[in-house]
Amino acid sequence: MTTMAKELTSVVLYEEELAFSRDTLTLKSGNSVAIGTVLGIITASGKVVAYAPGASDGSQNAACVALETVDATAADKPIQVLARHGIVGKDGLAWGAAVTTQNHKDTAYAALKALGILARTSV
């Protein structure tokens, strides 16, 4: 059985003009994320990693959604993210290993909503 790569259209259902909804941030070295991964921002560095609800470095707060797959295992890499005013499909989102419960996801949805990113069930 083959697995299809996730497409941006399965993640982003709506966004404002690119210059408004998107930002380019830095994915911290040692990490690799898939398109649609919910990200948190490390307070001390401003770099992003997968949202980690049990962390205490800032990444415990969902802050944006990856708009591309990026491998930063060897070094920091730039990453395009949906940062504000958009709608994402819940089925298109990807979660880091630390997200283990529906409560973790619900907390992320609420944090994203506060930033103007609504998570909707795809039809």
Side-chain angles (χ1 to χ4, degrees):
M1 174 188 237
T2 59
T3 302
M4 297 289 292
K6 191 180 297 184
E7 298 286 331
L8 184 58
T9 54
S10 69
V11 177
V12 179
L13 305 178
Y14 171 82
E15 65 179 315
E16 277 292 337
E17 294 181 26
L18 299 183
F20 185 80
S21 292
R22 296 182 182 198
D23 280 335
T24 300
L25 300 177
T26 302
L27 182 62
K28 185 176 186 251
S29 64
N31 292 275
S32 180
V33 298
I35 187 172
T37 300
V38 177
L39 304 171
I41 300 174
I42 297 172
T43 306
S45 67
K47 297 176 183 176
V48 295
V49 295
Y51 159 65
S56 60
D57 61 0
S59 64
Q60 73 274 15
N61 302 309
C64 53
V65 177
L67 296 179
E68 59 184 335
T69 297
V70 176
D71 182 356
T73 52
D76 290 351
K77 293 269 181 87
I79 185 169
Q80 284 280 310
V81 300
L82 183 71
R84 68 193 67 75
H85 200 65
I87 300 173
V88 294
K90 288 182 179 180
D91 293 339
L93 296 178
W95 302 95
V99 178
T100 58
T101 68
Q102 185 61 47
N103 186 54
H104 290 159
K105 291 179 182 181
D106 291 342
T107 300
Y109 297 146
L112 291 172
K113 183 177 181 181
L115 299 170
I117 302 171
L118 305 177
R120 299 281 190 231
T121 302
S122 302
V123 182

